[in-house]
Amino acid sequence: RSSAASDVYKRQGSATATVAKWAIKFTKGGNTITEDTFTFDLENTNGEVVTTDDKLAPGSKGEVKFVINGAGSEIGYSYSAEADVSGLNGVPIKFYSDSARTTELTPTNNKIAFASTDVTLDKVGDDQTIDIFWAWDSTSTDTADTTQGIAGTTGTIKLAVTAEQLVTNTTPTP
């Protein structure tokens, strides 16, 4: 540099890195699910089939409703719900996508997808409902139903509900 006077322009800046808030809440029946694993019942809502202690019998049917809400989140999310029905142990339960039980959800590799949805940032505070409609298989035979009843058979359904950051696969325009 020369010793002659010159103009010097110098600017310094800083940036703040703040992570977007993630606040996803799962509930069933108004109760928040806070544990990584939880239990739920298939509760019979058919008043014509009365059993004890939430047991099931031919003609039983019902709905299980879960709610996901991201109020307070600062980023969109995707969620899915999938049930593994391989542990039903012969209990003849069918699952449906509608309350009229007209559209059966057929398992693929013993798994049933109940929901898979993207929730954009402008909707993160809205309740997202996962409805699981089920019914005793009406085509099950009396002999099979009696065998299940005499044995007091117990079956298990494992439900996985997952929420993750919404990632949209968009290619930037050059």
Side-chain angles (χ1 to χ4, degrees):
R1 301 191 110 190
S2 75
S3 61
S6 64
D7 293 329
V8 176
Y9 292 96
K10 181 178 181 181
R11 305 290 186 264
Q12 292 182 322
S14 64
T16 301
T18 305
V19 176
K21 186 174 181 184
W22 180 250
I24 303 296
K25 182 169 96 173
F26 297 100
T27 60
K28 181 190 172 297
N31 298 315
T32 301
I33 300 169
T34 57
E35 302 299 320
D36 288 342
T37 58
F38 59 95
T39 59
F40 63 97
D41 294 319
L42 296 182
E43 298 169 4
N44 176 35
T45 58
N46 183 355
E48 297 176 8
V49 178
V50 180
T51 61
T52 60
D53 301 323
D54 293 321
K55 305 288 184 186
L56 306 181
S60 293
K61 65 180 178 180
E63 172 190 6
V64 182
K65 182 181 288 203
F66 294 92
V67 174
I68 301 173
N69 188 295
S73 289
E74 297 172 331
I75 190 164
Y77 64 95
S78 297
Y79 73 88
S80 63
E82 181 181 76
D84 180 341
V85 295
S86 63
L88 274 175
N89 198 23
V91 177
I93 301 294
K94 287 189 173 188
F95 296 91
Y96 301 87
S97 63
D98 59 314
S99 61
R101 292 167 184 78
T102 55
T103 306
E104 183 180 349
L105 297 172
T106 305
T108 302
N109 297 322
N110 289 315
K111 297 196 186 314
I112 298 174
F114 286 102
S116 181
T117 303
D118 293 340
V119 181
T120 56
L121 182 58
D122 60 327
K123 303 286 185 196
V124 295
D126 297 349
D127 284 349
Q128 306 295 320
T129 303
I130 299 169
D131 288 308
I132 299 173
F133 300 103
W134 62 272
W136 189 278
D137 183 355
S138 62
T139 64
S140 181
T141 66
D142 286 343
T143 301
D145 293 346
T146 301
T147 300
Q148 294 285 337
I150 290 171
T153 304
T154 298
T156 303
I157 301 159
K158 293 182 180 178
L159 180 68
V161 182
T162 305
E164 57 190 4
Q165 176 184 333
L166 176 62
V167 176
T168 55
N169 294 323
T170 58
T171 305
T173 305

